[in-house]
């Protein structure tokens, strides 16, 4: 619910004529007014003279006239938003405040306006002001997701689509918004996870016929979510097991940074070591190596990796845990390094000596 402002209701917003809704002489019923777009001077005056209260009073007045005036209300709002876009600087939060406090919003028109604000701005490479407008649009989406339940799904959908946009800068900002701000809310997690997993499945279905940029575009959100919810690491490893060589290459490049964000003590890490998806060994090894570089591995994880080595016979798993193994066990496993392929043997020995 949105509290009605206590400011006196004005007859009209500066620059938007006829909004006193004159009555038809035959019936006495208010008839829809004729609208005139606000000028730059009107908008500047609104900002200077407490125009937010004036605008809110007017919108509540038109809203109170009933459903017959809803088209007028919607038209008036969209004219005002377009005027604010032209006249105000992108760091001005007046637009976000307006969208949060109005009595109602036309869903389709608002989402289309924000989509254009974000996408069209992000297409202007190198234009700092355009980047700020895109950031403001994403901030408005965030506010609407949390504060406007009727627009939540459509604004969340737009946020997610921005997290897969071709523009890398926009994609990064939207991914941060989704992962850092929206995803922690439990009532949003299911939709966000489903979107990220669906994007990943679409990618694996394409096979090798995709570029590395396209692979990154489809995977970025799930990698970001893994930092927040470590259980998704299993999904990542499962995807790697059925991914194409091009997709695996991108995952190998990204997983080191991800592993350094996940504590080695996380139960999710222990879980994937105890039961890794078949075919995910290379990615799991990269995860373990990255975690070992951060510091000592927990004894329970070391024992789980030793058990995995005994089950698989793959001596590569001994390398990242070597420094954290009991001394006697470490000495016993040294001959097993001879079983490693030539490309892995020298790095393993150097790692052991270090």
């Amino acid at each position: 619910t949105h509290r009605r402002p206590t400011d006196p209701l004005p007859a009209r917003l500066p620059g938007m004529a006829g909004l006193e809704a004159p009555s038809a002489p035959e019936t006495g019923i208010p008839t829809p007014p004729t609208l005139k777009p606000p000028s730059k001077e009107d908008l500047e005056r609104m900002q200077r003279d407490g125009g937010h209260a004036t605008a809110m009073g007017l919108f509540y007045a038109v809203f109170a006239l009933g459903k017959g005036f809803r088209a007028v209300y919607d038209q008036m709002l969209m004219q005002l938003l377009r005027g604010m876009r032209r006249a105000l600087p992108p760091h001005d939060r007046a637009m976000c405040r307006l969208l949060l406090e109005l009595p109602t919003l036309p869903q389709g028109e608002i989402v289309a306006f924000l989509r254009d604000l974000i996408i069209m701005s992000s297409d202007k490479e190198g234009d700092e002001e355009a980047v700020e407008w895109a950031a403001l649009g994403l901030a408005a989406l965030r506010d609407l997701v949390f504060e406007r339940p009727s627009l939540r799904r459509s604004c969340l959908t737009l946020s997610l689509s921005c997290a897969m946009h071709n523009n890398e800068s926009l994609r990064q900002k939207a991914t941060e918004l989704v992962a850092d701000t929206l995803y922690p809310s439990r009532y949003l997690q299911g939709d966000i996870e489903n979107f990220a997993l669906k994007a990943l499945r679409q990618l694996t279905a394409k096979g090798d016929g995709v570029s590395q940029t396209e692979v990154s575009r489809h995977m970025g959100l799930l990698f970001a979510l893994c930092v927040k919810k470590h259980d998704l690491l299993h999904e990542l490893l499962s995807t790697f097991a059925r991914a194409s060589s091009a997709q695996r290459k991108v995952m190998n490049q990204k997983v080191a940074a991800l592993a350094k964000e996940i504590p080695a003590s996380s139960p999710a890490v222990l879980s994937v070591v105890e039961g890794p998806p078949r075919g995910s060994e290379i990615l799991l090894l990269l995860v373990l190596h990255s975690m070992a570089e951060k510091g000592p591995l927990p004894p329970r994880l070391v024992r789980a990796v030793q058990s995995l080595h005994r089950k698989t016979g793959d001596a590569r798993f001994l390398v990242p845990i070597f420094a954290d193994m009991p001394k006697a066990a470490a000495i016993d496993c040294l001959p097993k390094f001879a079983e490693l392929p030539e490309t892995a043997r020298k790095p393993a020995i150097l790692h052991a000596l270090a």
Side-chain angles (χ1 to χ4, degrees), residues 33-51:
T34 301
L35 303 179
K36 185 178 77 174
S39 67
K40 182 176 181 179
E41 290 72 22
D42 293 330
L43 290 160
E44 289 174 347
R45 189 162 59 251
M46 283 177 59
Q47 291 298 103
R48 185 176 62 251
D49 301 334

Side-chain angles (χ1 to χ4, degrees), residues 252-268:
N252 288 343
Q253 292 169 348
K254 287 179 171 290
V255 79
L258 168 64
K260 289 177 181 177
E261 295 291 330
I262 298 177
S265 58
S266 170

Side-chain angles (χ1 to χ4, degrees), residues 18 80 82 130 185 219 224 244 275 287:
L80 180 57
R82 285 189 285 267
S185 299
M219 288 186 178
S244 69
V287 169

Side-chain angles (χ1 to χ4, degrees), residues 167-178:
N167 182 291
E168 185 177 358
S169 177
L170 172 59
R171 188 167 67 244
Q172 183 178 349
K173 287 183 174 66
T175 297
E176 290 173 359
L177 165 66
V178 172

